[in-house]
Amino acid sequence: MKHVRLRGQFARHLMAKAAAGALLGAGAMSMSAAYAQTTAEADTVIVTGSRVRGVAPVGSTVVSINRADIEASGAVTTAQLIQQIPQVFNLGISETSRGQSGGSNNITYGNSVNLRGIGPFTTLVILDGHRVVPQGTTGFAVDPSIIPTLALARVEVVPDGASAIYGSDAIAGVVNLILRRDFEGFEVTGRYGAGDEIDERKVGFIGGKKWGGGQVTVSYENGYRSALSGLDRDYFRGDLRARGGNDFRVTNCAPGNIVAGATYPIPASGVTPATSATLAPGAANRCDNLQYADLIPEQDRNSMAITFNQQLGERLSLFGDAFASRRLFKIRGGVTNLPLSVPATNAFFVLPPGGVTSPCPATAGAPAGTRCETVQYSFLNDYPQAFTKGFSKAVEVTVGARYILPAGWNFETSYTAGRNDDRSTGYNIANASALAEALRSANPATAFNPFGAGGNSASVINSILIGVADNKGRTTLKFYETKLDGPLFSMPGGQVKGVVGLEHQDMRVVQTNFQGTTLVTTATSGRRQRQVESYYAEVLVPIVGDANAMPAIHKLDVNLAARYDEYSDVGVTQNPKVGLSYAPVKDLAFRASYGTSFRAPTISQIYGNSNSLFVQNYSDPTIGGAIRQGVARSGANLNLEPETARTWSFGFDLTPDALPRSKFAITYFKIDYDNQVVSYLSDLSILSREAQFAGTDIIVRNPSAAFIAQQIAETGFTGVIPAGVSLFIEGRNANLAETRAEGVDFSASYGFSTEQWGHFDVSLDGTYFLKYETAITAAAPAIDQLNDIFNPLTLKMRGSLTWNRGPLMGNVFVNYQNAYDNTAVTPVQKVDAYTTVDLRLAYRVGTEQPFTIALDMRNAFDQQPPFVNIAQSQNGGGGFDPTLTNPIGRIIGISLDKRF
């Protein structure tokens, strides 16, 4: 890929003229030919991975989930359906895991698709071939569950670089959600499933009508799943010693610990000045506050989709699709706990015998000269558990027209308008200033007592629980596309077909954050806009076809594609792709592809969510791991450039005549992913990898006073920077990281029939990584992270067996992932492999208007996640890995489906 920071007007106009000239020339050459297409032939069949109408992608493979697969999967949401594909890893943006790249912004608990596991923003999700308004308060990813499963005709996945075809984000591949357009009649469906302390349900309908030259299909679905509390899974704990792990419990407890020179555990009955003599230094109280948190949120979804087609005469047809989705969520957090700076002015202040106080920090707000001690404290017994709730709402409409031109040419234009609104609001939050005021109060009626056992009055607690945390975001998308496609000329191998097109994208993001109290709030907001002008061209050249096939060359096709994108904020990218398909004989075909892809940084990555300085404590190996206080900077980086990638693939498809209804495929892939956008604002262990940042300005030791003054001036920081600060961390997003990935995808399927037992289909699909290396910077050494925790695994597989005999159908699915290393602990822990089995049995009555009843079991043998020795967090952990397993366990469901 070539990247330039220029507007590129000359290149844009030159490309537009060249494309127009090619089309006009092609049209002029063929205007005298008779019209070759009928009205029926003009209907475009949506194919993923190529813009050339009605042609499968050349050089790349397509993973397809058809309607029968969707019904047999038992998936409650479209995201759950896609996560069953072995090439998809649950890393980053997920409702069950939010600890990896991109996850921290997922405050409304949505899902995204992460092909290959190389990044949550490297997979493009489209709907019927066009872009979708992204979800999230900063508009950063598409949640496929905005589309009801009932509305899907199929899902097609191209796990190969596709930016030359579709533009930004298609580094690891593209997922195309294809809606149903051929439904006639009415169908209602319902499903209820339940497991250990969790239940889910789904109800919906689909109705369709076809008439001469047109159709309309409407579908609606409601899905609900209850929350799952950490208390309901005994393997989710802070103390993992019984399972051979560590004790990750914290010391902010109820009762807490007084830290005054030494640590003094507070007894269960509490302590007063009169009983302070009983305090003695010793082992701290330890507790497990996060076990009260929800492992997965409560979710309630309503979604609908509409498709429409209408033929107007022999040449003109109209088409459209639309969807609307509303998802409500609620999740309980862990018990609030933190170290409190308690001034000696506190009405309940207790100084242990021999205890040592220190000057109060500025945040305590105490009078000058006041001494403080620290109390490690949990609010478990003081006020209701904090929780967050909110919503994500999306709506999008696409309308378009196709016109049949002479000689097989087609003109198509479409317009898409979408809008998404997200909101996340936190409740039962302690306000920091109100808490500090209550801690320094000398009046027992208004003072907060951290030394007792939950003995604070309701009025005191209510005075503290006035915190507000409200985040809102709105993203709007307008997308125009015009394209012209058809045959260019004939060759002995067939017709050379081409397509050229242009696109215009307008995206706007508005984000508002309210922080403060119910009485006084501080709002920060940002309004950002991005416009993209794009031009693309693609040509299919059939060198050898049926007419000129020869020994050892049954078929040979070449596909060439190129795309030019000009962004209003990150410059210009130009991306080519070449694909080759070669069949030496009819039942064996080889394919290969090479291309460049890119991802434009999100608007929030460019402009940031804040512009400030943060005083933070860093573990510093140069002083034996002791704490060094430093300053980190957040804010905008207007010099961010697109991430870039080069992708290769090579493979074959075998469909042997000797083994009817069988197919075997193997694909080698390679991805060189550069210029990745990363931020180290929250990385408090960054000094342990200091050598890898050599040559960058990420870590600055002993910054000068002038340098710090410059940072203060540029950010407008009004807080206090410690005198003589000896460390500065650049926390703004930057183009730094690199990833190198190689592997093999494989699939095999075979179907056969028996007279007595019916028809059987067996299949096996998987992905096998050969290499997965990352580097913090281009100059840093590459680190092998394959099979390391929170990174891709060597092997993921899914096998299936489907049985049909008359009205009965059964399905068995086996999901496997290999063992891996937990590198988050020393010594490194070996985590066991994980295998689950899903079952389904269905009975269908009737053929014209069938009634179907089905029983299914996900994780039929209730296989618990393998033990992982990691600490708890709000995003899972505490005995299991939320990126590769989920804590739900076995779900038994029954579904009913009736067609009218």
Side-chain angles (χ1 to χ4, degrees), residues 26 88 148 175 243 252 280 469 506 544 568 615 620 725 780 795 864 870:
V88 175
V175 175
R243 303 178 70 184
N252 295 330
D506 186 309
V544 178
S568 60
V615 179
D620 190 350
V725 64
L795 179 62
Q864 285 193 359
I870 53 176

Side-chain angles (χ1 to χ4, degrees), residues 351-520:
L351 182 65
V356 178
T357 59
S358 57
C360 291
T363 54
T370 305
R371 309 285 290 185
C372 279
E373 66 184 9
T374 298
V375 177
Q376 299 170 333
Y377 193 74
S378 168
F379 293 85
L380 174 66
N381 300 316
D382 292 304
Y383 59 73
Q385 193 170 345
F387 67 92
T388 301
K389 70 177 183 179
F391 61 80
S392 178
K393 298 188 295 186
V395 60
E396 184 171 290
V397 177
T398 295
V399 293
R402 300 186 186 99
Y403 189 79
I404 303 174
L405 297 170
W409 281 82
N410 278 258
F411 173 82
E412 180 178 312
T413 185
S414 64
Y415 169 70
T416 297
R419 170 173 152 175
N420 182 83
D421 291 276
D422 274 30
R423 186 171 188 174
S424 176
T425 307
Y427 297 88
N428 293 344
I429 299 174
N431 176 256
S433 60
L435 176 59
E437 182 180 352
L439 284 171
R440 65 177 177 262
S441 174
N443 183 352
T446 58
F448 181 81
N449 178 11
F451 304 98
N456 288 287
S457 68
S459 61
V460 171
I461 297 301
N462 290 336
S463 71
I464 295 171
L465 285 182
I466 56 175
V468 173
D470 191 28
N471 299 277
K472 296 189 295 184
R474 172 176 293 173
T475 301
T476 57
L477 172 69
K478 295 178 181 179
F479 187 77
Y480 308 84
E481 180 181 6
T482 297
K483 66 179 180 179
L484 197 59
D485 69 88
L488 296 169
F489 55 88
S490 293
M491 292 178 58
Q495 284 188 327
V496 176
K497 298 180 179 180
V499 58
V500 293
L502 59 90
E503 298 172 349
H504 173 80
Q505 181 183 156
D506 186 309
M507 180 182 291
R508 305 185 184 200
V509 177
V510 179
Q511 185 184 18
T512 305
N513 301 319
F514 291 94
Q515 302 291 335
T517 73
T518 54
L519 304 176
V520 180

